[in-house]
Amino acid sequence: MTSFAQFSRRAALLGAAVLAAPFAASPGAAAETLKVCASKIEAPYSTAKGDGLENKIAKIVAGAMGRDVEFVWFDKAAIYLVRDGLDKRLCDVVFGVDADDERVKTTKPYFRTGYVYVTKVDGPKLGTSWKDIETAPVSKIAVRFSTPGELILKATGKYEENVSYGLSLVNFEDKRNKYTQVAADRLVNEVANGDADASIAFASDVARYVKASATPLKMTMLDDDFARADGLKIPLHFDQAIGVRKDDAALAAAIDEALVKAKPEIDRALADEGVPVLQPNT
């Protein structure tokens, strides 16, 4: 993660894989490959089936570059893709990094979104302020560990009453010296089945599951005005970009050029997923 990992948009970086491309290389030409670091276990972004959001976007971008995709798959959470894939030169691209991730050279952002409340349509009435959790009639709130959602619970006095509940979402698995995280679909299912009053989640983590829920759910985008008691601003909106090695400026430039061409297809993929998007600001 970045040097401010506790404030990153989610606790794991994203992998990427395959879907049919809307663009193609010139007939008869041997297409250069785009080697993508990819996690098999990072739903809804990247899965072994290749049906994740970043799976789709990776193929769209490669097609816009006139390249084929070569995926280097890891049986690890995507948080390890830079260290174990990119840095070791096993692959050349990591999709879905924060635009200011200090470990990599990032492309221009290809979408921006933020943290949302997930509630039942007929559930608690929460507005767009992070402070609404403090006074709303909600007690159980599902969040991922080490994210702005967890910090909001602390700032609004809701953390202590949710500690045990939060651990139950990972079956009380020990978090010491290992990466343990709440599955994105569980953040949604807890609300849908009534075990949680709400969840606070990064929108693209949960959009697929909110859209597919048999129980009518809604997402409410939070305002980007969260700060700790000491005045330190905690971002709630994040530009998402593609990471390459810091010495690979040529590849970053080629991807930037392709992103312009690929934007309509990327926007459709995000809309199909149900991701609410904001205007990138970098």
Side-chain angles (χ1 to χ4, degrees):
M1 300 298 292
T2 65
S3 60
F4 52 95
Q6 67 270 38
F7 307 145
S8 64
R9 84 284 184 200
R10 51 194 158 88
L13 295 174
L14 313 182
V18 188
L19 191 75
F23 307 101
S26 300
E32 189 177 356
T33 60
L34 185 68
K35 295 182 68 174
V36 179
C37 311
S39 169
K40 295 180 180 179
I41 57 171
E42 202 61 46
Y45 299 102
S46 182
T47 73
K49 293 181 179 179
D51 61 356
L53 174 62
E54 293 295 343
N55 305 149
K56 302 173 186 179
I57 293 175
K59 193 62 176 182
I60 291 169
V61 172
M65 297 174 74
R67 298 192 183 194
D68 292 329
V69 175
E70 179 182 345
F71 295 92
V72 180
W73 291 98
F74 295 84
D75 294 314
K76 298 179 179 181
I79 192 172
Y80 300 111
L81 292 179
V82 171
R83 184 195 71 183
D84 294 346
L86 198 69
D87 289 349
K88 293 181 178 179
R89 297 185 177 272
L90 299 176
C91 41
D92 301 320
V93 180
V94 176
F95 276 76
V97 300
D98 292 341
D100 56 359
D101 191 321
E102 297 172 352
R103 303 169 305 160
V104 297
K105 181 175 182 61
T106 58
T107 65
K108 293 177 181 177
Y110 58 93
F111 80 103
R112 178 179 179 85
T113 192
Y115 272 79
V116 296
Y117 293 130
V118 178
T119 59
K120 290 182 178 179
V121 169
D122 59 356
K125 305 303 180 185
L126 294 170
T128 61
S129 171
W130 63 271
K131 296 179 181 178
D132 291 342
I133 285 292
E134 189 169 10
T135 56
V138 293
S139 54
K140 283 189 177 180
I141 305 164
V143 299
R144 284 185 146 182
F145 305 128
S146 302
T147 63
E150 187 175 74
L151 294 178
I152 287 172
L153 293 188
K154 292 179 179 180
T156 55
K158 298 284 187 175
Y159 180 72
E160 294 299 329
E161 64 188 276
N162 277 281
V163 169
S164 181
Y165 169 64
L167 290 173
S168 76
L169 300 181
V170 293
N171 300 317
F172 297 96
E173 185 175 352
D174 191 349
K175 297 191 295 177
R176 291 175 296 182
N177 301 318
K178 63 180 298 187
Y179 178 72
T180 302
Q181 193 52 275
V182 181
D185 59 348
R186 186 152 192 186
L187 293 175
V188 174
N189 292 339
E190 289 291 300
V191 176
N193 63 25
D195 288 335
D197 301 310
S199 67
I200 307 172
F202 193 59
S204 54
D205 284 1
V206 295
R208 170 178 299 196
Y209 309 117
V210 169
K211 183 177 179 180
S213 176
T215 301
L217 303 175
K218 66 177 180 178
M219 293 184 290
T220 303
M221 183 71 67
L222 275 66
D223 299 328
D224 192 21
D225 62 354
F226 179 39
R228 296 191 321 195
D230 61 4
L232 179 65
K233 178 176 171 58
I234 310 300
L236 296 179
H237 298 171
F238 295 86
D239 287 337
Q240 300 295 275
I242 301 164
V244 303
R245 283 181 291 277
K246 290 183 177 181
D247 62 358
D248 209 345
L251 179 56
I255 293 173
D256 279 340
E257 183 177 351
L259 286 173
V260 176
K261 181 179 180 181
K263 186 178 187 304
E265 290 295 330
I266 292 174
D267 289 349
R268 274 194 288 274
L270 292 164
D272 288 346
E273 188 87 356
V275 177
V277 295
L278 304 165
Q279 184 67 33
N281 67 357
T282 59

